[in-house]
Amino acid sequence: MTAPPKKGTTDQPSELLAKADIDAILESRHWDPFAVLGPHPAGEKYIARCFLPGATEVTAETLAGKEIGALAQVDPAGIFAGEVSLKKLQPIRYRARNEGGDWVVIDPYSFGPVLGPMDDYYIREGSHLRLFDKLGAHPMTLDGIEGFHFAVWAPNAKRVSVVGNFNEWDGRRNAMRLRRDTGIWEIFLPGITEGHAYKYEIVGINGEVLPLKADPFARRSELRPNNASMTTGPIAQEWEDEAHLKHWATADARRQPISIYEVHAASWQRHGDGAMLTWDELADRLIPYCVDMGFSHIEFLPITEYPFDPSWGYQTTGLYSPTARFGEPEGFARFVNGCHKVGIGVILDWVPAHFPTDAHGLRQFDGTALYEHEDPRQGFHPDWNTAIYNFGRAEVLAYLINNALYWSEKFHLDGLRVDAVASMLYLDYSRKHGEWVPNEYGGNENLEAVRFLQSMNAHVYAAHPGILTIAEESTSWPKVSAPVHDGGLGFGFKWNMGFMHDTLQYLSREPVHRKFHHNDMTFGLLYAFTENFVLPLSHDEVVHGKGSLIAKMAGDDWQKFANLRAYYGFMWGYPGKKLLFMGQEFAQWQEWSEEKSLDWNLLEYPLHEGMRRLVRDLNGTYRRKAALHARDCEGDGFEWLIADDRENSVFAWLRKAPGEKMIAVVTNFTPVYRENYGVPLPVEGRWREILNTDAEIYGGSGKGNGGAVQAKKQANGRISAAITLPPLATLMLELDA
């Protein structure tokens, strides 16, 4: 073995490493470490340089362990350089020593780039649809060596380094290579395995070291309050959902029975000590519950990583990472797979409108307004104190569109409910005069956000035909759920916020006053078929002092329960898909809190258990009876029978579908018991009472029609039935033919 040079000595220090380079490395301001570190040709020979703090001696070796040269310590902080015996550039390793022993380090600066020119082309164009496989941290084998490849977009940074528990969070050790055409920084780190915490140390354009940043493409994160990203491998899941995916890929979702159970995963149920359930524990409890209740889908409030529990996930800092609160990402994949095996879809509440300003997040990511607009009139959301994505920047659009594709592909998600769409569509959303910037035509429409939503929907539906995209959009923006080629935004469905607002307002009034507000319940039918609607009774209606749904109802306790039962029957008979927030199916009294479990003990009481049974039976009836769902989004599936009986607050209509038995829905929104109430029906004969919300099994008074009514032609030539209307109740009658 050749004896290494003495510490601090070299025959030609300027040739091995210039003092300016040494100072730049040690002061964390070397902007192009690949030009200095690693092996480099120097005339007819090769010189290798490395930075190994703590080492006192270093020899260079091939990857096979053959010694190829001893390096001199050119700075006692751990910088070494020396001539090595190489015939061509190739990966090498270093054997470092100090008084504690020796160790081997494979030189990351001896590997070439991983990303290629086609990646650069599509990234620069903003059309790269596999960014989630390229950016972030991914395990790979390069030149026979296993490790992790890291890549991050920071075009205005002077230097970017990977730091983590594998390099003592020292930004000098693993500075990255800049791909100048795209602003992507990348490095392959040999020997890195799964389970390491890491971040990016970024030096801004003016030489300032920024707060450490989590990886925007991280696929796993630390559990709060820690906020680093975690190295992780591909999702290891053996999917067993081919039949489920095939069904939705070939079905017309508008004509399917869709009943969504909206869930906040951290507070649906908890352990006795208050600890959150894991994904596997949720699967054991939540999936059988939803099967029994007859829901077709579970929609989760955002489960992408977020730092602050009371944000409910809507202020996410890890858009590609399932939150660590419920375990590893594979746990979520197992949950989705378990849902699909029993025919339940999973929808993710998705937040592409804005992001929080936490120091480790996207805000001022490379020292500039990279993901957000620099102008606060465009880039800051006053309602939520968050930053707004710059939808006019191709790289930002690619980041978000890739995220939608990522969840669909890697986790087989059935849908994305897109949060706060209205805030994206309008430049003056929640802003006063002078606080917003008009578009190029002087209007308040955010044309860049429109193009983003259209592009996102087009790409997602093209890649995953069975997916549902659902807009939470509260304005009259036209064609939200119309195809992009028809000038629409391209969503599959839109939340019907008007239905929710009008009906809850009506039901909060004492029954004696309802006749003066009859239009609250009929107005929605004027626009019910202009979009593909979901009727949402969501978490937003049971927080911030609004009270639970049962608490909103008018009257004494008996009337509150009867009102809510009648309302659910009304809603499940009304055109549109259904959504109900957890706890409302058994009439939880308390307003929802994210800090604790639902009040499951209420099911010990008959009125609460009766409400749960009603929701279960409504879901079952809705699913079994095509007349109730097959024309949810089309006007020919609805026909008014009674729309103007203000005095009695009675509503009745027909639901129908080609080749299916018609169903009449009749609701009495007063506590008055009515006998021989005439309801016009289209066909003579026996109409079976298939559902009565006043049934004793649901906690009602048990009034009804003995199982059926008879429709007869009257003296005036019209067909009608004399029906008993229970107090505060909804009936469903099916033609028995």
Side-chain angles (χ1 to χ4, degrees):
M1 176 181 292
T2 305
K6 295 180 180 179
K7 295 197 306 184
T9 64
T10 177
D11 294 333
Q12 296 175 305
S14 60
E15 179 184 349
L16 292 177
L17 192 60
K19 186 177 187 304
D21 287 322
I22 295 174
D23 293 343
I25 292 171
L26 295 179
E27 295 169 12
S28 195
R29 56 179 175 80
H30 207 299
W31 317 139
D32 189 8
F34 278 86
V36 177
L37 299 176
H40 291 271
E44 296 182 355
K45 56 187 179 180
Y46 288 86
I47 293 176
R49 309 179 186 96
C50 62
F51 177 41
L52 297 175
T56 55
E57 298 178 5
V58 173
T59 55
E61 300 176 346
T62 66
L63 295 182
K66 178 183 177 182
E67 184 178 330
I68 54 175
L71 308 189
Q73 188 186 73
V74 296
D75 190 277
I79 299 179
F80 294 81
E83 185 176 337
V84 292
S85 301
L86 290 175
K87 295 182 179 179
K88 62 177 182 178
L89 286 178
Q90 63 187 63
I92 62 173
R93 70 186 198 184
Y94 303 112
R95 187 172 298 277
R97 304 177 185 84
N98 61 22
E99 59 186 11
D102 65 348
W103 67 97
V104 173
V105 178
I106 298 175
D107 186 358
Y109 297 98
S110 64
F111 291 86
V114 171
L115 299 179
M118 292 308 296
D119 291 312
D120 290 341
Y121 174 81
Y122 289 118
I123 289 171
R124 191 168 57 247
E125 190 180 63
S127 62
H128 204 308
L129 299 180
R130 306 294 305 180
L131 284 178
F132 46 81
D133 287 334
K134 301 292 184 176
L135 300 187
H138 295 274
M140 65 177 303
T141 300
L142 190 61
D143 292 322
I145 299 298
E146 294 183 353
F148 265 77
H149 175 250
F150 297 83
V152 64
W153 179 55
N156 302 307
K158 277 198 169 182
R159 175 183 61 74
V160 180
S161 299
V162 182
V163 295
N165 53 13
F166 45 82
N167 63 12
E168 299 182 7
W169 302 90
D170 186 345
R172 301 173 301 171
R173 300 195 188 189
N174 294 136
M176 305 171 79
R177 170 191 282 114
L178 173 62
R179 303 182 70 84
R180 298 187 182 278
D181 287 348
T182 58
I184 301 289
W185 298 76
E186 68 165 334
I187 193 170
F188 172 72
L189 294 185
I192 301 297
T193 57
E194 295 184 29
H196 284 288
Y198 74 97
K199 287 185 177 180
Y200 294 112
E201 182 182 278
I202 299 175
V203 176
I205 196 168
N206 296 316
E208 72 281 15
V209 179
L210 304 176
L212 296 183
K213 294 290 187 178
D215 189 342
F217 280 85
R219 294 170 294 113
R220 185 175 179 181
S221 304
E222 280 189 312
L223 177 63
R224 51 98 176 88
N226 297 326
N227 53 37
S229 304
M230 300 286 291
T231 56
T232 190
I235 297 298
Q237 174 60 47
E238 184 177 339
W239 292 98
E240 303 164 281
D241 58 357
E242 183 179 357
H244 175 88
L245 297 180
K246 182 179 179 181
H247 165 75
W248 285 100
T250 55
D252 182 349
R254 298 173 304 161
R255 296 179 173 177
Q256 295 294 306
I258 295 177
S259 182
I260 302 167
Y261 189 50
E262 189 187 33
V263 173
H264 179 252
S267 61
W268 180 72
Q269 284 186 6
R270 291 198 177 189
H271 290 291
D273 62 359
M276 296 177 187
L277 303 182
T278 65
W279 283 119
D280 291 328
E281 290 168 334
L282 275 166
D284 289 341
R285 303 184 190 188
L286 179 56
I287 295 175
Y289 181 75
C290 287
V291 170
D292 177 62
M293 290 296 295
F295 288 103
S296 65
H297 290 76
I298 298 169
E299 178 182 313
F300 284 112
L301 272 63
I303 56 104
T304 51
E305 192 57 76
Y306 57 102
F308 187 49
D309 286 1
S311 81
W312 313 333
Y314 287 96
Q315 297 206 11
T316 180
T317 52
L319 208 55
Y320 285 77
S321 175
T323 176
R325 288 166 174 79
F326 317 119
E328 76 286 357
E330 284 77 9
F332 182 54
R334 289 193 296 273
F335 181 91
V336 175
N337 187 60
C339 285
H340 288 180
K341 288 169 69 175
V342 294
I344 293 177
V346 180
I347 300 170
L348 176 63
D349 214 336
W350 190 52
V351 190
H354 60 110
F355 58 90
T357 56
D358 296 67
H360 70 281
L362 295 180
R363 184 173 181 268
Q364 294 283 309
F365 189 78
D366 64 357
T368 68
L370 191 61
Y371 286 86
E372 71 273 30
H373 280 280
E374 187 170 7
D375 188 335
R377 296 176 299 169
Q378 298 170 286
F380 184 75
H381 204 297
D383 284 356
W384 303 313
N385 292 320
T386 52
I388 299 172
Y389 285 104
N390 183 350
F391 300 112
R393 189 158 194 168
E395 297 92 340
V396 175
L397 262 63
Y399 171 73
L400 294 171
I401 291 171
N402 269 268
N403 188 251
L405 293 169
Y406 170 79
W407 288 103
S408 305
E409 177 179 324
K410 302 297 187 182
F411 289 94
H412 289 207
L413 278 189
D414 299 88
L416 296 170
R417 178 268 193 185
V418 183
D419 181 62
V421 171
S423 75
M424 301 166 68
L425 293 175
Y426 296 97
L427 295 165
D428 60 345
Y429 183 89
S430 198
R431 296 178 188 273
K432 299 175 184 177
H433 180 71
E435 296 179 347
W436 58 282
V437 179
N439 64 31
E440 58 193 282
Y441 304 107
N444 67 340
E445 303 88 357
N446 189 334
L447 303 180
E448 294 170 345
V450 169
R451 286 190 285 268
F452 157 65
L453 292 171
Q454 290 176 324
S455 180
M456 181 276 296
N457 280 312
H459 282 301
V460 169
Y461 273 103
H464 305 282
I467 201 169
L468 309 175
T469 61
I470 305 169
E472 187 221 5
E473 205 285 311
S474 55
T475 74
S476 57
W477 188 282
K479 294 187 172 184
V480 172
S481 57
V484 173
H485 64 75
D486 192 34
L489 294 182
F491 285 95
F493 293 91
K494 171 183 173 175
W495 271 20
N496 191 337
M497 311 292 278
F499 169 87
M500 172 274 300
H501 176 269
D502 292 347
T503 55
L504 287 179
Q505 179 176 263
Y506 177 89
L507 286 158
S508 69
R509 304 182 192 278
E510 293 295 334
V512 69
H513 301 303
R514 288 175 180 172
K515 61 185 177 182
F516 303 112
H517 304 278
H518 198 74
N519 287 350
D520 282 350
M521 305 302 272
T522 59
F523 177 71
L525 271 302
L526 296 177
Y527 61 84
F529 307 107
T530 59
E531 301 276 2
N532 303 325
F533 278 123
V534 172
L535 311 180
L537 295 178
S538 75
H539 66 281
D540 280 330
E541 309 317 311
V542 295
V543 290
H544 300 322
K546 295 179 182 178
S548 63
L549 292 185
I550 187 69
K552 294 178 193 291
M553 300 294 110
D556 58 23
D557 281 1
W558 188 92
Q559 288 194 7
K560 285 181 183 294
F561 277 91
N563 267 307
L564 188 57
R565 289 194 302 267
Y567 181 36
Y568 285 164
F570 180 96
M571 174 174 161
W572 260 255
Y574 194 95
K577 309 310 178 186
K578 325 303 175 189
L579 180 142
L580 188 63
F581 184 58
M582 64 181 198
Q584 309 315 303
E585 77 275 16
F586 60 81
Q588 172 160 312
W589 278 108
Q590 290 192 52
E591 185 175 271
W592 169 60
S593 169
E594 83 283 345
E595 296 180 350
K596 60 181 183 178
S597 170
L598 298 178
D599 297 329
W600 292 100
N601 61 300
L602 292 177
L603 289 173
E604 299 172 11
Y605 301 94
L607 285 174
H608 293 279
E609 170 60 15
M611 192 71 71
R612 187 197 67 81
R613 288 183 177 185
L614 172 64
V615 172
R616 180 189 63 187
D617 289 353
L618 283 169
N619 278 333
T621 304
Y622 175 67
R623 176 175 291 194
R624 290 192 304 272
K625 305 297 183 181
L628 290 175
H629 67 253
R631 292 295 185 269
D632 263 335
C633 306
E634 299 161 75
D636 61 2
F638 177 91
E639 180 183 336
W640 275 115
L641 298 175
I642 300 173
D644 56 1
D645 188 0
R646 296 173 177 270
E647 285 301 315
N648 296 311
S649 298
V650 171
F651 305 84
W653 60 76
L654 277 180
R655 295 300 307 279
K656 47 192 177 177
E660 302 293 338
K661 295 180 181 180
M662 292 180 287
I663 293 177
V665 181
V666 187
T667 300
N668 174 16
F669 275 128
T670 69
V672 179
Y673 171 64
R674 306 184 191 282
E675 293 183 317
N676 297 315
Y677 183 92
V679 175
L681 292 168
V683 179
E684 289 184 272
R686 185 174 184 267
W687 289 69
R688 289 190 306 115
E689 190 177 81
I690 61 173
L691 191 134
N692 179 351
T693 66
D694 192 50
E696 290 182 356
I697 194 174
Y698 304 138
S701 64
K703 303 293 193 295
N705 293 276
V709 301
Q710 196 73 27
K712 301 176 182 178
K713 185 173 288 188
Q714 307 301 312
N716 60 8
R718 296 178 180 176
I719 301 170
S720 68
I723 295 178
T724 295
L725 294 184
L728 294 171
T730 294
L731 306 176
M732 291 186 182
L733 308 170
E734 180 183 62
L735 179 61
D736 191 8

